[in-house]
Amino acid sequence: MNFNSFFRGDNLLFRWCNKIMYTALLSVLWVFFSLPLVTAGPAAGALYFAVFKCLRGDEDRVFLCFWRSFAGNLRVGIPATLLSAAALGLLSIGLEQLALLSRAGAVPAWLYVAYYVAAVVPVGIIFWVFPLLGRFSFSLKELFSTAGQLALRHLPSTVVVVLLVIQSVNFCLNRPMAMFLFPSLTMLLCSLFFERVFQKYLPPAQPGEEPEE
């Protein structure tokens, strides 16, 4: 065995170890920068950008990638966070009220189920907002408009992403230590669907050009 090649920085084992370390670091960064709550959206956008550059790509300046996106998106990201939180709060209240009425027999059970299914669309739109924020530059209005169009045009991907995020949240609530890995892993899985869609709308890269961020 060639020990010189084993300890080279481009060795496959070392690259995988780096990716695991980046995964944990990005999850911790997302949790820390989300603590003020109003910055949870910009932190999610920064997490997506850093996952795209560092986990899917070969960038190794993890904190710089995260910070650059986070700081650059605060102006749009904070109001987007507040609007998204308000929408999720209203959806949650409506769901709870329908559940109570359904159990009391005041409304048919199918109405509760229909509301639950229909809520996937607005929740899905919100889940598109912050990857878009991390990857591209939008005004607040353009951000939600684009997220809505993509969520509806690519509804199967939207549904899968919603299910992935919900299951990840439930898993982390039951196993808090998972917060050190699952935010980045979940975003990485979601990026498989988001990036496939984004590439359909990006202009083809010219020879010698860097891919658009």
Side-chain angles (χ1 to χ4, degrees), residues 126-199:
I126 292 169
F127 287 174
W128 277 90
V129 163
F130 299 106
L132 283 168
L133 180 70
R135 285 280 274 119
F136 308 102
S137 296
F138 290 104
S139 67
L140 184 63
K141 181 179 179 181
E142 290 171 339
L143 181 62
F144 279 92
S145 174
T146 303
Q149 293 176 49
L150 293 180
L152 292 174
R153 287 181 186 175
H154 304 278
L155 191 57
S157 294
T158 301
V159 172
V160 173
V161 166
V162 170
L163 293 176
L164 275 173
V165 174
I166 290 174
Q167 290 303 314
S168 178
V169 170
N170 287 335
F171 188 86
C172 290
L173 288 175
N174 293 322
R175 299 168 180 83
M177 291 300 294
M179 288 295 293
F180 289 103
L181 284 176
F182 261 63
S184 296
L185 288 176
T186 302
M187 196 66 87
L188 179 61
L189 289 174
C190 290
S191 75
L192 300 178
F193 299 91
F194 290 134
E195 288 302 319
R196 185 176 59 185
V197 171
F198 292 162
Q199 294 308 313

Side-chain angles (χ1 to χ4, degrees), residues 90-96 98 110-120:
L90 290 174
L91 287 169
S92 178
I93 291 171
L95 192 63
E96 290 177 2
L98 275 177
W110 65 263
L111 187 60
Y112 169 77
V113 175
Y115 182 94
Y116 192 90
V117 172
V120 168

